[in-house]
Amino acid sequence: MTNEFKQGGSGTLIKIAFRNIWRNKRRTAFCFSAVGIAVFFIVIYSSLIDGMTNSINDIVQIFELGHVRVVSQDYESEQEYLPVQFPVADGRSFQEMANQIKGISGVRSVFPRITTLATLQESSIRHAMLWGLDIAGEMGANNFNLTDRNNGLIEGRYPEPNSNEAAVGWAFAEKTGLSIGDRIPLRTTSAQFADRFWEPVITGIFNFDYIRYDEQFIMVDISRLQRLLALEDGTQQLIIFAEDASMSPQIAAQVQGLLEQGNVVTEWTDNYWVAVMRMVIPIYTIVFLVFLIVASFLIVNTVVMIIHERIKEIGMMGCLGMTRFEIVKVFFFESLFLAALGATCGILVGGSLTGLLAEFPIRMGDMYGNTFSDMPMSNAIFFQFDHRRLAYAWVLGVLIASIFTLVPSLKSAFVEPVEALRK
């Protein structure tokens, strides 16, 4: 018998272990379910967390910092007030700077932006943000509605260059009762600290599915806003988009080298919420490990019960020539099969559900009443389906369960054959 085991090697032991798991189908089903449910939740929650992280990353890149942002040092120190009297590079022509930056390898596009406060004269909403953009250029470079992957325009058209026109969000229009063709009487402060009064006509209504902008921002052409604010050809911010987000550090370093002192170059990864999400991910990993450890205890308990029930069988194995190590391997392989099959079930169900949910966004703002409006996150969150995540969850589930069941498996090695057969 010993020779037979030696000739068969681990293959024979694996066959024995696989047959053993079906000897008590009910217990096997419980073990499958425990590991499967743990792995299922890992797949679902990690997909949701990745969806939230990607949403924050996209919002920060498109609406706030691009991949790299350049502002003056004075603006950086007072940016909560959105001052316009501190243009980039002390008022140098933004077009001149943009042409220089475009020469850097990996830069896709460079755009000027201005964001400043406005007081509305005849409206139930007293304050809003004036948002000056190169509208045609930016809409061609990025999708501002991250849910539908388009420019977000739902009615009318965006303002023409150098025009007294504006576009507003659907929520802004709803709250103020304004529509296409209406004027927005407003007051703002120029770079020379003079009050400027303006009445742009609404030509378009947008829905970016990002409530902060849909509710508070008035989009206007940047060249018209520059004249209004007495900035001439200067700009408050330069927003740089890279061909690949991972190239941001290299581009930021080269941009800093092109510009004189007194300017601040910021990467999108420096954003507070991006950093928070990166810190949160390891915490969720610990939570996932706790799920698996709890599930593994059911397999541990099962292995202990199996050893107790098969005490005579273990003695018989020893009498037939199996070594202690071979006996341990049989029980370890048995627990390994339980973990692997359970994890596979969890992956199949979780992966299928994630793949389905990836096509239909979860509307977090609608469900929670825009509680997350202070976070740079789209109203619609898409689950992220990724084969690598499925593989990671499967390996993690099998690995943790196997490690925890190794100890009870070793218990079988200390069963004396003669004593076992007496029981």
Side-chain angles (χ1 to χ4, degrees):
M1 190 69 176
T2 303
N3 290 335
E4 183 181 339
F5 280 114
K6 287 181 179 179
Q7 289 172 3
S10 295
T12 301
L13 300 179
I14 289 172
K15 289 179 182 178
I16 294 172
F18 184 75
R19 289 170 184 165
N20 282 343
I21 66 173
W22 304 110
R23 291 169 64 173
N24 190 324
K25 292 183 175 63
R26 180 180 297 177
R27 189 158 54 200
T28 297
F30 279 127
C31 290
F32 280 4
S33 300
V35 178
I37 290 171
V39 172
F40 169 82
F41 278 109
I42 289 175
V43 172
I44 293 296
Y45 278 110
S46 61
S47 298
L48 178 59
I49 292 165
D50 280 356
M52 294 174 65
T53 301
N54 288 347
S55 177
I56 289 174
N57 292 347
D58 288 343
I59 289 291
V60 168
Q61 291 169 13
I62 293 172
F63 289 91
E64 298 190 15
L65 299 179
H67 293 123
V68 177
R69 185 188 68 170
V70 184
V71 297
S72 69
Q73 206 163 43
D74 291 327
Y75 174 86
E76 180 73 10
S77 62
E78 299 184 30
Q79 64 177 317
E80 64 268 25
Y81 305 112
L82 300 174
V84 295
Q85 67 270 25
F86 304 122
V88 177
D90 199 23
R92 275 176 57 192
S93 165
F94 77 81
Q95 195 60 58
E96 176 191 337
M97 290 185 288
N99 290 337
Q100 282 185 299
I101 293 169
K102 285 176 183 176
I104 297 173
S105 175
V107 171
R108 174 164 55 93
S109 51
V110 184
F111 297 110
R113 283 188 187 175
I114 299 172
T115 305
T116 188
L117 296 168
T119 302
L120 306 187
Q121 302 296 302
E122 301 172 6
S123 173
S124 56
I125 296 179
R126 299 304 301 163
H127 301 285
M129 300 285 192
L130 273 179
W131 194 32
L133 304 177
D134 172 2
I135 298 173
E138 294 229 28
M139 293 299 163
N142 294 296
N143 293 315
F144 277 70
N145 185 305
L146 299 174
T147 304
D148 298 328
R149 300 294 173 182
N150 58 30
N151 65 8
L153 189 66
I154 57 176
E155 187 179 347
R157 60 174 175 81
Y158 282 120
E160 297 288 341
N162 296 301
S163 64
N164 289 318
E165 298 174 346
V168 298
W170 67 270
F172 180 95
E174 192 174 87
K175 286 188 175 183
T176 58
L178 297 172
S179 58
I180 300 292
D182 292 337
R183 291 187 175 275
I184 314 173
L186 59 84
R187 176 175 60 84
T188 188
T189 304
S190 73
Q192 299 170 344
F193 301 101
D195 285 342
R196 294 298 175 92
F197 295 88
W198 192 27
E199 292 188 17
V201 60
I202 297 175
T203 60
I205 296 176
F206 58 78
N207 179 5
F208 294 152
D209 217 12
Y210 178 25
I211 193 61
R212 181 168 170 243
Y213 276 66
D214 291 340
E215 199 171 48
Q216 301 175 14
F217 278 67
I218 302 171
M219 182 193 296
V220 297
D221 175 65
I222 190 165
S223 56
R224 182 67 185 88
L225 190 57
Q226 283 173 316
R227 293 204 309 275
L228 183 73
L229 300 176
L231 281 172
E232 298 181 355
D233 200 28
T235 185
Q236 182 192 60
Q237 308 170 46
L238 269 181
I239 304 297
I240 303 164
F241 291 100
E243 293 174 358
D244 188 325
S246 64
M247 302 175 71
S248 300
Q250 298 92 316
I251 292 173
Q254 293 186 62
V255 169
Q256 189 69 71
L258 281 177
L259 301 176
E260 61 270 16
Q261 296 297 318
N263 295 291
V264 178
V265 180
T266 306
E267 298 174 47
W268 68 275
T269 51
D270 295 333
N271 178 268
Y272 171 78
W273 289 106
V274 171
V276 165
M277 290 306 295
R278 290 190 172 190
M279 292 171 58
V280 164
I281 289 173
I283 296 174
Y284 277 104
T285 301
I286 294 172
V287 173
F288 296 155
L289 289 175
V290 171
F291 281 170
L292 286 171
I293 290 169
V294 171
S296 298
F297 275 115
L298 183 56
I299 299 183
V300 170
N301 185 55
T302 299
V303 174
V304 171
M305 291 174 62
I306 289 172
I307 292 171
H308 179 74
E309 290 175 358
R310 300 182 193 167
I311 194 74
K312 289 188 177 181
E313 190 175 314
I314 293 171
M316 185 70 70
M317 290 177 181
C319 291
L320 291 174
M322 288 182 68
T323 64
R324 294 178 185 273
F325 182 61
E326 287 173 334
I327 295 172
V328 170
K329 284 171 73 174
V330 168
F331 286 98
F332 177 72
F333 284 141
E334 193 168 335
S335 60
L336 186 63
F337 278 128
L338 291 172
L341 292 172
T344 301
C345 292
I347 289 295
L348 291 174
V349 178
S352 300
L353 184 58
T354 302
L356 181 64
L357 293 174
E359 302 299 323
F360 303 97
I362 296 178
R363 306 197 65 81
M364 302 283 283
D366 294 345
M367 288 191 294
Y368 297 104
N370 297 314
T371 305
F372 303 103
S373 59
D374 291 335
M375 291 181 66
M377 188 166 66
S378 175
N379 177 43
I381 304 299
F382 287 88
F383 278 76
Q384 300 296 305
F385 180 82
D386 190 341
H387 293 92
R388 291 172 298 178
R389 184 181 301 104
L390 300 183
Y392 165 77
W394 188 88
V395 170
L396 191 65
V398 174
L399 185 64
I400 296 300
S402 300
I403 290 172
F404 271 79
T405 54
L406 183 60
V407 174
S409 297
L410 289 171
K411 183 179 179 182
S412 63
F414 298 96
V415 176
E416 291 294 336
V418 176
E419 292 297 323
L421 290 172
R422 286 178 179 174
K423 294 183 179 180

